[in-house]
Amino acid sequence: MDKEVAIKIGGEAGFGIKVSGLILGKTLFNAGFKVFGYSEYPSLIRGGHNTYQLNTAKNDVFSVTKKIDILVALNQESLELHGQELNNGGVVIHDGLDIKDIKDIKDIKDININLMDLAEKAGGALTRNIVALGAVMNILGMDLQLFNQELEREFGDKGVKVVAMDKKAARLGYDYLKKFKIGAYLKKEAGSKAGDYIMTANEATAQGMIQAGCKLYAAYPMTPATSIMHVLSAKQCDHHLVVHQTEDEISAIGTAIGAAAVGVRAATGTSGGGFALMVETLGLAAITETPLVIIESQRTAPATGLPTWTEQGDLQFMIRASPGEFPRFVIAPGDALEAFYMIQEAFNLAEKFQLPVIFLLDKLLSESDFVLENIEQHKVKIKREGFINDNELERMRDYKRYELTKNGISKRALPGQLAGVHVINSDEHDEYGYSTEASDMRTKMMDKRFKKLEQMMAEAPEPQLYGPRNADLTVVAWGSVKGAVIDALREIGDKYSVNFLHLTYIWPFPAKRVKKVLESAKNVLLVENNKTGQLADLIRQETGFELKNRFLKYDGRPFFREEVIKEIKKYI
């Protein structure tokens, strides 16, 4: 890999830690560097310790590292919590803090700047972070003009005076570092942007929903899914989209089902606790065969758990949720670009098969900043299908909404079509939608819904195998673990023979493909962000293959790249 630099900004909540980090990230992105941004913050209304970590390089970066090169410590707590994360030769920027706990780090570069004094000279204490970022730009060896351009984009709506004050603050921090004569951490290059956009997976999901033709999003705010609603709300007038904040999650899924029942592409979103409230109504979408997309962004649980931290603890819940049995899709993208494309596919699949599709994110994906490049806006063809038109209804004269068909999919008439009147009923029903308790019709309707499974499995893309076909070790993971594993494999390069099986379309389970890969593997390692190895249990259930080597993490933090590399080396 080309030189990669890890920068962490730490300070008290409410002082613009993430905004500052993202400004720096966008500056580097616009200069041609790839970035990955990761934030940590407590579940507090006000206060607490926040960090934003930015990993940047000329090559792709998809994950966060445990060790860092530059620490901007805006308070003593940041030094105490993160000082030992500095690499040998690392830089710490602070304002008169006690650095005794990190003096043992070899060749540490202590940059003591009177940030508050410089901020006051610039025009106000609120520019303290900008002073520090100006210093970071000097350390990186970057042209300050690039940073100034990003300040204009970020704060231009606040007026000329604010932008001028921020630029002055950045210049003061930048110039102050000249006397330290620290070599540039990045090779200064003039280049175009490193991709098309910087986005979180939540932002990419929202953009994909618009692309898919979603016209109603109903939700109740719940971290880490909330920002999807924020993005869509800001764009609803431009795209004829209704965003409705309901009084609770039960109302949210009910509203979405109601909209979908009349032909609107609709979705709802929440986290695990909110989804638990939706479970009974999820069954309503299933038995009425109503297309519905449910976005569930995982956080730690049970109960409130750690509301602002990440985990992959809901996989089995998504597959089994709701009383009774019915087919569904469970899709778990591994990064923001996959989220953009796969949410579009989710709407297509929901409508084609007339069932719920659960779109599974987590806090790491929802709130981390990814570089998206080579986006194909029309890669996913948006297909509106399954409807019956008025002419067909007139010829039919005996419309059956739940007609028993060979593939289990029956044509949908919508309210307002005169010859398409039918009942949408939460009870078991006959072909017209009328309630029935007849044993033979119950069996036929259950079989009808499950007839869709064969075609569903044929439609779902297979898991992707990264790396050589024949390797000494096969890593298996799903969803957000992708980034850490991909970066780990790139970092170890040709030193070790490792490949990676990544699952995204998890249910219906791609048993044939998974079994083929695992049975031909020399050794297998599961990497999963939960306590019990839920994917491993699912693989055993569906294929009979036992994954004995399991690297599990469940402390609320994602996998750091070094951890994955260390674990891989144990099995080679």
Side-chain angles (χ1 to χ4, degrees):
M1 295 179 68
D2 283 0
K3 181 174 177 60
E4 181 176 337
V5 179
I7 306 157
K8 178 169 281 187
I9 304 169
E12 187 180 352
F15 284 85
I17 305 301
K18 179 165 184 176
V19 171
S20 301
L22 193 51
I23 290 172
L24 180 61
K26 289 179 178 178
T27 301
L28 293 167
F29 168 77
N30 287 319
F33 291 92
K34 301 295 176 64
V35 297
F36 179 84
Y38 166 68
S39 62
E40 292 184 347
Y41 58 94
S43 177
L44 297 172
I45 299 299
R46 186 175 181 180
H49 178 66
N50 283 20
T51 66
Y52 185 87
Q53 182 168 328
L54 192 70
N55 282 60
T56 183
K58 289 299 292 183
N59 290 335
D60 290 329
V61 185
F62 299 119
S63 64
V64 67
T65 52
K66 183 68 175 176
K67 301 295 285 186
I68 58 176
D69 301 294
I70 301 171
L71 173 62
V72 179
L74 297 175
N75 60 6
Q76 189 66 40
E77 187 177 16
S78 298
L79 263 179
E80 293 169 358
L81 292 175
H82 308 293
Q84 289 299 322
E85 296 170 10
L86 281 161
N87 282 311
N88 291 337
V91 178
V92 57
I93 298 173
H94 64 98
D95 187 349
L97 301 179
D98 184 355
I99 68 162
K100 63 181 180 181
D101 292 337
I102 61 171
K103 285 185 176 179
D104 60 328
I105 298 175
K106 187 178 179 181
D107 298 326
I108 192 77
K109 297 177 178 65
D110 175 17
I111 309 299
N112 186 353
I113 309 177
N114 198 322
L115 296 172
M116 288 303 296
D117 277 1
L118 293 178
E120 293 292 351
K121 285 181 182 178
L126 289 176
T127 64
R128 179 184 63 155
N129 295 10
I130 304 299
V131 174
L133 293 183
V136 172
M137 287 293 290
N138 185 302
I139 293 168
L140 295 176
M142 303 296 294
D143 187 343
L144 190 61
Q145 181 58 30
L146 296 168
F147 187 69
N148 287 340
Q149 290 169 1
E150 193 55 44
L151 289 174
E152 290 171 2
R153 281 188 284 267
E154 184 68 27
F155 300 119
D157 60 345
K158 296 184 182 295
V160 175
K161 288 185 178 180
V162 171
V163 173
M165 181 174 65
D166 285 334
K167 286 182 178 180
K168 184 177 180 180
R171 171 56 66 183
L172 288 169
Y174 190 91
D175 289 345
Y176 190 89
L177 259 289
K178 289 180 180 178
K179 67 180 183 180
F180 288 90
K181 297 180 180 179
I182 297 175
Y185 268 59
L186 295 174
K187 185 179 179 181
K188 189 185 298 183
E189 293 183 22
S192 57
K193 292 195 302 183
D196 298 316
Y197 305 99
I198 291 182
M199 281 187 182
T200 65
N202 276 8
E203 291 169 331
T205 297
Q207 294 290 349
M209 292 167 72
I210 292 169
Q211 187 83 3
C214 177
K215 295 301 179 186
L216 180 131
Y217 183 70
Y220 182 80
M222 190 171 189
T223 303
T226 305
S227 63
I228 295 172
M229 185 161 54
H230 295 165
V231 175
L232 293 175
S233 294
K235 297 176 180 291
Q236 60 182 332
C237 293
D238 295 333
H239 298 281
H240 307 291
L241 165 71
V242 174
V243 178
H244 179 47
Q245 180 179 324
T246 57
E247 63 270 29
D248 56 35
E249 290 85 355
I250 299 171
S251 298
I253 191 171
T255 300
I257 289 173
V262 299
V264 172
R265 283 199 158 180
T268 185
T270 187
S271 189
F275 183 81
L277 297 174
M278 296 180 175
V279 164
E280 183 180 12
T281 314
L282 174 67
L284 176 64
I287 201 167
T288 59
E289 300 186 48
T290 303
L292 180 66
V293 174
I294 304 127
I295 301 162
E296 204 264 64
S297 184
Q298 302 162 95
R299 64 192 205 186
T300 63
T304 308
L306 302 175
T308 60
W309 300 86
T310 199
E311 206 159 270
Q312 291 183 309
D314 295 351
L315 178 60
Q316 294 278 8
F317 181 31
M318 296 303 106
I319 291 170
R320 303 298 179 199
S322 191
E325 303 166 298
F326 55 86
R328 71 193 78 185
F329 281 100
V330 177
I331 303 172
D335 54 42
L337 186 61
E338 287 185 349
F340 175 72
Y341 291 133
M342 289 180 184
I343 192 67
Q344 297 176 55
E345 292 285 10
F347 280 96
N348 283 346
L349 292 169
E351 203 159 73
K352 178 171 184 174
F353 293 100
Q354 301 174 22
L355 44 63
V357 177
I358 297 171
F359 196 72
L360 196 51
L361 302 170
D362 57 31
K363 190 267 180 185
L364 177 64
L365 290 174
S366 288
E367 298 188 352
S368 295
D369 296 300
F370 296 80
V371 169
L372 278 68
E373 59 181 330
N374 301 321
I375 294 177
E376 300 175 49
Q377 292 291 345
H378 302 289
K379 178 180 179 179
V380 179
K381 186 177 180 181
I382 306 306
K383 304 171 186 175
R384 300 300 309 269
E385 56 186 309
F387 300 102
I388 188 168
N389 61 44
D390 290 337
N391 291 333
E392 290 177 286
L393 285 169
E394 285 294 332
R395 289 194 299 270
M396 189 178 293
R397 295 193 177 184
D398 186 28
Y399 173 64
K400 299 175 181 177
R401 168 63 185 93
Y402 302 103
E403 184 177 3
L404 299 171
T405 62
K406 188 175 181 180
N407 63 4
I409 302 170
S410 41
K411 291 278 190 175
R412 295 174 67 203
L414 300 177
Q417 291 182 275
L418 294 179
V421 175
H422 60 280
V423 177
I424 299 175
N425 189 353
S426 66
D427 286 351
E428 190 57 276
H429 44 255
D430 62 16
E431 292 178 273
Y432 298 96
Y434 293 114
S435 297
T436 180
E437 295 184 3
S439 62
D440 61 335
M441 186 53 68
R442 162 63 175 177
T443 301
K444 288 176 181 178
M445 281 295 157
M446 283 290 285
D447 290 344
K448 171 195 186 304
R449 292 189 284 268
F450 274 89
K451 279 181 181 178
K452 302 173 186 179
L453 269 176
E454 184 177 349
Q455 193 175 348
M456 288 167 63
M457 295 181 74
E459 289 266 333
E462 292 188 333
Q464 187 165 351
L465 185 67
Y466 296 87
R469 180 173 296 181
N470 298 310
D472 294 331
L473 178 68
T474 296
V475 177
V476 180
W478 65 277
S480 63
V481 178
K482 175 186 176 182
V485 177
I486 291 290
D487 279 350
L489 265 57
R490 286 180 177 169
E491 195 159 317
I492 64 177
D494 297 330
K495 296 177 185 176
Y496 303 96
S497 176
V498 185
N499 59 20
F500 170 38
L501 184 67
H502 182 240
L503 283 77
T504 51
Y505 286 75
I506 300 178
W507 195 261
F509 190 76
K512 186 176 180 181
R513 168 67 167 164
V514 172
K515 187 174 183 179
K516 181 179 179 181
V517 171
L518 297 185
E519 287 186 343
S520 63
K522 297 176 184 177
N523 200 3
V524 181
L525 171 65
L526 172 83
V527 182
E528 196 168 358
N529 219 169
N530 56 47
K531 167 67 176 173
T532 58
Q534 293 183 28
L535 177 61
D537 292 345
L538 188 60
I539 289 172
R540 180 179 57 193
Q541 170 189 303
E542 297 296 317
T543 70
F545 190 94
E546 177 76 34
L547 280 80
K548 296 179 180 178
N549 303 324
R550 303 184 181 191
F551 182 29
L552 306 175
K553 187 175 183 180
Y554 40 91
D555 61 356
R557 279 67 179 168
F559 285 100
F560 297 105
R561 192 184 314 159
E562 301 97 323
E563 296 173 330
V564 177
I565 293 171
K566 182 179 179 181
E567 198 70 16
I568 285 173
K569 290 179 179 179
K570 289 182 182 179
Y571 295 96
I572 296 179

